[in-house]
Amino acid sequence: MELNSLRDLYIEELKDLYSAENQLVKALPKMAKAATAKTLKSGFEKHLRETKEHVDRLKKIFSDMNTSPGNKKCQAMEGLIAEGEDIIQEDAEPEVRDAALIAAAQRVEHYEIAGYGCVRTYANLLGDKRAAKTLQKTLDEEGATDEKLTELAQRINVQAESPTPKSAAKKRGSKPLTKKIMEAVGME
Ligand code: FE
Ligand code: FE
């Protein structure tokens, strides 16, 4: 791919986002499944519906430009999702896993916010007001999701700081967390 103009770069960045969004369509159901708090679970489910819409909006932009999204792979999103999957596989307290899922999801949203901010600006510079408006709409939804995650983090992170005795006991048997940590660091 030769990048000779802002339009070339615009299309490359759109392809990157198209790949990122498609990867998220596959990852978000796993994140929803791994979440314990109902609000977090439903938040991921809602954002999955929005993400499918984001894919459709990008498809429309490509078709309006008579170009195809191609099969470029967004490596950054691949890495962010891989880190998220690592968390899901960890043996963690439910509240702590939720807190970690929020952290992973916020990294994803910030990546998308950066990407959509750029392409929205390029669309404006290239005089494509319609695409700019569509991209701004997605950008606003990514921003709202990020804010919602921050709000959830304020509640869930507090719970993670002191897991409820019931969930804590269920998850790790009778061993207290401090004992588990001391064992892990070789103090016991
Ligand atoms: Fe998105
Ligand atoms: Fe998103």
Side-chain angles (χ1 to χ4, degrees):
M1 177 75 201
E2 273 187 53
L3 298 175
N4 295 321
S5 64
L6 186 65
R7 189 177 187 275
D8 291 346
L9 180 63
Y10 175 53
I11 292 170
E12 271 310 288
E13 299 272 334
L14 285 172
K15 286 179 177 174
D16 183 88
L17 282 165
Y18 183 77
S19 161
E21 296 282 21
N22 275 299
Q23 291 183 56
L24 284 169
V25 168
K26 288 191 195 137
L28 279 163
K30 294 183 203 166
M31 292 174 83
K33 206 174 154 211
T36 301
K38 277 203 176 73
T39 43
L40 184 60
K41 214 180 249 297
S42 63
F44 283 142
E45 283 160 0
K46 177 176 182 247
H47 199 53
L48 171 64
R49 292 190 291 274
E50 288 176 342
T51 300
K52 288 178 179 167
E53 185 97 6
H54 299 170
V55 171
D56 290 341
R57 286 178 194 154
L58 289 171
K59 270 189 196 157
K60 175 84 172 57
I61 291 174
F62 283 113
S63 80
D64 286 349
M65 289 193 301
N66 289 319
T67 173
S68 91
N71 51 11
K72 181 186 166 91
K73 180 138 205 180
C74 173
Q75 293 178 39
M77 189 54 73
E78 200 176 22
L80 290 171
I81 290 172
E83 285 192 1
E85 275 171 355
D86 284 350
I87 293 163
I88 294 170
Q89 276 150 27
E90 289 289 337
D91 175 27
E93 299 296 337
E95 294 87 350
V96 180
R97 185 190 291 112
D98 278 0
L101 284 168
I102 291 173
Q106 287 199 285
R107 284 189 175 87
V108 165
E109 292 314 310
H110 282 236
Y111 181 81
E112 289 184 295
I113 289 166
Y116 278 105
C118 288
V119 288
R120 182 273 330 265
T121 300
Y122 298 161
N124 269 325
L125 287 170
L126 294 164
D128 191 343
K129 296 275 173 271
R130 194 154 74 156
K133 214 175 146 198
T134 302
L135 294 166
Q136 182 64 52
K137 207 164 153 189
T138 299
L139 179 58
D140 290 343
E141 287 173 6
E142 310 293 13
T145 301
D146 181 50
E147 272 172 35
K148 178 81 191 156
L149 287 164
T150 298
E151 199 187 297
L152 286 176
Q154 276 156 9
R155 270 177 283 149
I156 290 170
N157 291 0
V158 171
Q159 289 164 10
E161 218 260 311
S162 53
T164 56
K166 209 178 106 211
S167 72
K170 197 170 69 191
K171 188 76 186 83
R172 61 167 185 266
S174 56
K175 242 183 240 175
L177 186 59
T178 41
K179 188 165 162 58
K180 225 178 157 188
I181 293 167
M182 284 169 84
E183 278 174 5
V185 297
M187 288 172 70
E188 193 137 298

